[in-house]
Amino acid sequence: MAGERSKRVTIYSIAQECGVSASTVSRAFTRPDIVNDDVRERIHAVAKRLGYQPNKAARGLATGRAGMVGLLVPDITNPFFPPLVRAIQQAASVQDWSVLLLDADEVADEETELVEQVRAQVDGLIVASPRSPDADLEDTLGDLPAVVVNRVVAGRPSVVCDNSAALTAAGQHLHQLGHRRFALLRGPEASWAARQRAEAIRGWALAAGVELVELGDFAASYEGGREAAPALLGSDATAAFAFDDLMACGVLAGLAEAGRSVPDDHSLVGCDDVLLAQTVTPSLTTVTAPVGELGTTAIELLHAAMRGEDARQVRLDGTLTLRASTGAVPAGVVSR
Amino acid sequence: MAGERSKRVTIYSIAQECGVSASTVSRAFTRPDIVNDDVRERIHAVAKRLGYQPNKAARGLATGRAGMVGLLVPDITNPFFPPLVRAIQQAASVQDWSVLLLDADEVADEETELVEQVRAQVDGLIVASPRSPDADLEDTLGDLPAVVVNRVVAGRPSVVCDNSAALTAAGQHLHQLGHRRFALLRGPEASWAARQRAEAIRGWALAAGVELVELGDFAASYEGGREAAPALLGSDATAAFAFDDLMACGVLAGLAEAGRSVPDDHSLVGCDDVLLAQTVTPSLTTVTAPVGELGTTAIELLHAAMRGEDARQVRLDGTLTLRASTGAVPAGVVSR
DNA sequence: CTCAAGGTAGCAATCGCTTGCAGTAGATTT
DNA sequence: AAATCTACTGCAAGCGATTGCTACCTTGAG
């Protein structure tokens, strides 16, 4: 199966074995159409038998293309990203690209540093939810083909999940359940998504004429949620929008610790719909992101960018998923 | 900051600029000690000013080393892996290695396929919790330097988390709480860890003289846990060991659905201590894996393997973390 | 029967960097 | 002062693939 374990199989070994020149072997793989059918098949057969694998370094050197794309995430341990990584990886492999994963560990400077390090090594870059300011990003990216996920940067192709409609729907849902006083537990200022979500909720609250108190910023993490819980209790809101599911889980724990029940005392809405959202108790009402599409679109856009096409900005809609963390307000509380 | 945006900076541009040969520039980077101090500094300064980044493809072609290691995981969306990925990544970057992430999507054949695809592209490979049978693995790995994480394969360096002691401690803990009838919710047969954990629990049960009923195999996932719950209810065990935290969470949900309470009706122990374990309600008593060490050790072993050293097999101990999912047996149940 | 056109193959240069070997100049030894 | 080191530096040959250009061999047309 693995073929002769001689030395190392190159196009030259194959050429010799087949009695043709190396160029022909090369072409048999890269432009099969221009080599004679018989010859091509003979070459492919021998290559398979010998277990030939083209040397990517050599090819990269000759063509200037590395066959590799970078994927920069702010924090791989944040459960939002693994599914995205997988989706992108699968979409990339269709294009015959390998994916170099880069984790910035949630620190903005690390992002630009990492980009600087890999820019010479990849053909393109996908930057997911970057924390760096636009200017820094633009600076380091330079002329490297890149697409941004979950953030809009002027002049760059991007694909974002638009949660506005779903958050509005969530608001309406809560309103119907009788809630009139809401809290917005804000995410990190550096996060584009946080600003976008906050904007959507503010817009809805204004239109619906309900009371909205903003709390935070809190970290986009379980810990951040734990910190947010007392703040929420200090307000008189009966329903809250957390920046994301992770934070919502922290809030859940914080409220439970304080002896409050969800959804009986408070209703809570998360965002992203990570696995956690359906496994916590109570399960979270949240906005489900179309992760698969996000990935395929990112690769598509990157492909376009590498061909020099104009930057396109795609927005995909999140959808509201109702679960157990939202319920009606106890009668006494509604009419104060 | 980014330097002249002329064409592409190579060692030749720098050499010309500095009035030295390309070899000297090359050496100024790869073996700084053997080039004259003044010259070296001049070169470094110019390189920095021009924004020089060595071309990895060229270097790889010349040296035969790619400066890249592969990291194969069975399922990146399983929350056990992201922290491991990060740990490995950080350890790798110290060695100046990039990490190529490969996700097998939980299918064994995909693993061997992926290995085949990247073997020519990386200097070494880290295989985490592989699902393929030993023989297949050995076959595809061949002479590629590789280290296995969380599984022991004859003749290969490996680093595993040994949960035996911690699981035994968990058993004793439950025993002290009054439990006498236990269930083992087995993980997938293909998983080495599942077999190892099962063995440890069997050993303890035998030594402690308690009743142990084995259920499963179940999938190592939330869904698997949901399926395990009815089986657990069908047994008369009062305490259960789940294969991992994910499965334990599923069991938790299944029991809750059936109106059973943890830890009042049943006690439950997980394994791995993923983020989920502390966020579910009730939080999970589990075995905490030393993920960071796992990562650094893996890189260390890989380094050794690449130098041709003998395969070393390291085992690191997991530690028992007590949380809310284990409690005493209600008096009526203990003495039947 | 000769010539042009098409379809295939081969030659050789090139991508950017590493490295064994040889050469040079100054320092040290005798 | 001659001989021997030392410490650098440069030359040039690769590493394995791609690709523009040239050359060859058929065919078909004139």
Side-chain angles (χ1 to χ4, degrees):
Chain A
M1 187 189 214
E4 269 96 296
R5 290 226 173 279
S6 54
K7 203 70 219 173
R8 181 174 237 138
V9 192
T10 72
I11 51 171
Y12 292 94
S13 351
I14 299 179
Q16 193 159 30
E17 184 86 8
C18 291
V20 298
S21 79
S23 335
T24 304
V25 176
S26 171
R27 283 192 273 255
F29 288 108
T30 52
R31 308 195 31 205
D33 47 305
I34 68 166
V35 6
N36 184 293
D37 294 10
D38 302 355
V39 181
R40 170 164 30 78
E41 269 168 41
R42 197 147 39 91
I43 292 176
H44 281 166
V46 172
K48 188 166 181 188
R49 176 160 60 78
L50 265 44
Y52 170 69
Q53 285 289 133
N55 180 320
K56 284 235 185 190
R59 173 176 296 180
L61 184 54
T63 61
R65 275 167 278 124
M68 199 147 57
V69 306
L71 171 54
L72 178 61
V73 300
D75 176 9
I76 185 65
T77 66
N78 179 324
F80 175 71
F81 294 106
L84 182 66
V85 169
R86 164 176 289 176
I88 287 178
Q89 193 140 172
Q90 291 186 342
S93 79
V94 173
Q95 309 278 344
D96 214 40
W97 285 334
S98 302
V99 175
L100 200 61
L101 182 69
L102 305 166
D103 184 326
D105 215 353
E106 201 65 73
V107 355
D109 289 348
E110 187 72 13
E111 287 182 357
T112 56
E113 184 135 333
L114 284 172
V115 171
E116 214 50 64
Q117 264 175 43
V118 298
R119 61 174 313 137
Q121 202 174 162
V122 299
D123 299 327
L125 193 63
I126 295 178
V127 187
S129 314
R131 305 310 195 212
S132 321
D134 278 24
D136 290 6
L137 207 57
E138 199 49 43
D139 240 42
T140 32
L141 252 30
D143 52 4
L144 184 66
V147 1
V148 184
V149 177
N150 263 355
R151 173 155 157 189
V152 175
V153 176
R156 288 276 171 202
S158 63
V159 51
V160 301
C161 173
D162 188 343
N163 299 300
S164 311
L167 284 171
T168 299
Q172 289 168 346
H173 171 238
L174 289 167
H175 193 264
Q176 272 168 21
L177 290 172
H179 294 273
R180 293 296 179 271
R181 298 187 303 282
F182 297 80
L184 165 56
L185 312 178
R186 281 192 308 230
E189 172 64 25
S191 158
W192 182 87
R195 293 196 299 273
Q196 189 225 31
R197 291 170 194 182
E199 206 46 63
I201 292 165
R202 278 185 209 116
W204 163 75
L206 197 66
V210 300
E211 188 182 320
L212 179 72
V213 41
E214 301 199 14
L215 305 171
D217 309 351
F218 300 106
S221 66
Y222 182 77
E223 274 317 312
R226 297 297 296 250
E227 290 167 24
L232 174 56
L233 288 172
S235 79
D236 61 351
T238 61
F241 297 91
F243 163 63
D244 68 2
D245 291 339
L246 225 49
M247 182 187 290
C249 285
V251 172
L252 235 34
L255 292 182
E257 207 164 73
R260 299 312 190 82
S261 155
V262 172
D264 293 340
D265 298 330
H266 295 270
S267 280
L268 189 60
V269 175
C271 205
D272 289 345
D273 196 8
V274 300
L275 177 62
L276 206 55
Q278 44 185 304
T279 61
V280 282
T281 312
S283 59
L284 276 178
T285 289
T286 188
V287 177
T288 306
V291 181
E293 273 183 87
L294 236 38
T296 53
T297 307
I299 288 292
E300 217 168 85
L301 290 178
L302 185 56
H303 205 198
M306 288 171 41
R307 283 194 307 257
E309 294 178 16
D310 282 343
R312 211 149 43 93
Q313 318 215 119
V314 179
R315 47 180 59 224
L316 305 171
D317 282 313
T319 54
L320 180 62
T321 299
L322 297 178
R323 296 212 181 88
S325 67
T326 47
V329 190
V333 180
V334 181
S335 52
R336 61 166 169 182
Chain B
M1 185 188 214
E4 268 97 295
R5 290 224 173 281
S6 55
K7 201 71 216 172
R8 180 175 236 137
V9 191
T10 72
I11 51 172
Y12 290 95
S13 351
I14 300 180
Q16 193 160 30
E17 184 86 8
C18 291
V20 297
S21 79
S23 335
T24 303
V25 176
S26 171
R27 282 192 274 254
F29 289 108
T30 53
R31 309 192 32 202
D33 47 305
I34 69 167
V35 4
N36 184 292
D37 293 10
D38 303 355
V39 180
R40 170 163 31 75
E41 269 168 42
R42 196 146 42 90
I43 292 176
H44 282 165
V46 172
K48 187 166 181 189
R49 176 160 59 78
L50 265 43
Y52 170 70
Q53 285 289 133
N55 179 321
K56 284 236 183 189
R59 172 175 296 180
L61 184 53
T63 60
R65 276 166 279 124
M68 199 148 57
V69 306
L71 172 54
L72 177 62
V73 299
D75 177 9
I76 185 65
T77 65
N78 180 323
F80 175 71
F81 294 106
L84 182 66
V85 169
R86 166 176 289 177
I88 288 178
Q89 194 141 171
Q90 291 186 342
S93 79
V94 173
Q95 308 278 344
D96 213 40
W97 286 334
S98 303
V99 175
L100 200 60
L101 182 69
L102 304 166
D103 184 325
D105 214 353
E106 201 64 74
V107 354
D109 289 348
E110 187 71 13
E111 287 183 357
T112 57
E113 183 134 334
L114 284 172
V115 172
E116 213 50 64
Q117 264 175 43
V118 298
R119 62 172 314 136
Q121 201 174 163
V122 299
D123 300 326
L125 193 63
I126 295 178
V127 187
S129 314
R131 304 309 194 214
S132 322
D134 278 24
D136 290 7
L137 206 58
E138 199 49 43
D139 239 43
T140 30
L141 252 30
D143 52 4
L144 183 66
V147 2
V148 184
V149 177
N150 263 354
R151 172 155 158 188
V152 175
V153 175
R156 289 276 170 202
S158 63
V159 51
V160 301
C161 174
D162 188 345
N163 300 299
S164 312
L167 284 171
T168 298
Q172 290 168 344
H173 171 237
L174 290 167
H175 193 263
Q176 272 168 20
L177 290 172
H179 294 273
R180 293 298 178 268
R181 298 188 302 284
F182 297 79
L184 166 54
L185 311 178
R186 281 195 307 234
E189 173 64 25
S191 159
W192 183 88
R195 294 196 299 273
Q196 188 225 32
R197 292 171 194 182
E199 205 48 61
I201 292 165
R202 278 185 209 115
W204 163 75
L206 198 65
V210 301
E211 189 181 318
L212 179 71
V213 43
E214 301 199 13
L215 305 171
D217 309 350
F218 300 105
S221 65
Y222 182 77
E223 273 317 312
R226 296 300 295 249
E227 290 167 23
L232 174 57
L233 289 172
S235 77
D236 61 352
T238 60
F241 297 91
F243 162 63
D244 69 0
D245 291 340
L246 225 48
M247 182 187 290
C249 286
V251 172
L252 235 36
L255 292 181
E257 207 164 72
R260 301 310 191 83
S261 154
V262 172
D264 294 338
D265 299 328
H266 296 270
S267 279
L268 189 59
V269 175
C271 207
D272 289 345
D273 196 9
V274 299
L275 177 62
L276 204 55
Q278 44 184 306
T279 61
V280 282
T281 312
S283 58
L284 277 177
T285 288
T286 189
V287 177
T288 306
V291 181
E293 275 183 85
L294 237 39
T296 52
T297 307
I299 288 293
E300 219 167 84
L301 290 178
L302 186 56
H303 205 197
M306 287 172 39
R307 284 194 307 256
E309 294 178 17
D310 283 342
R312 210 150 44 93
Q313 320 213 118
V314 179
R315 47 181 59 225
L316 306 171
D317 283 313
T319 54
L320 181 62
T321 300
L322 297 178
R323 295 212 182 87
S325 67
T326 48
V329 189
V333 181
V334 180
S335 52
R336 62 163 167 185

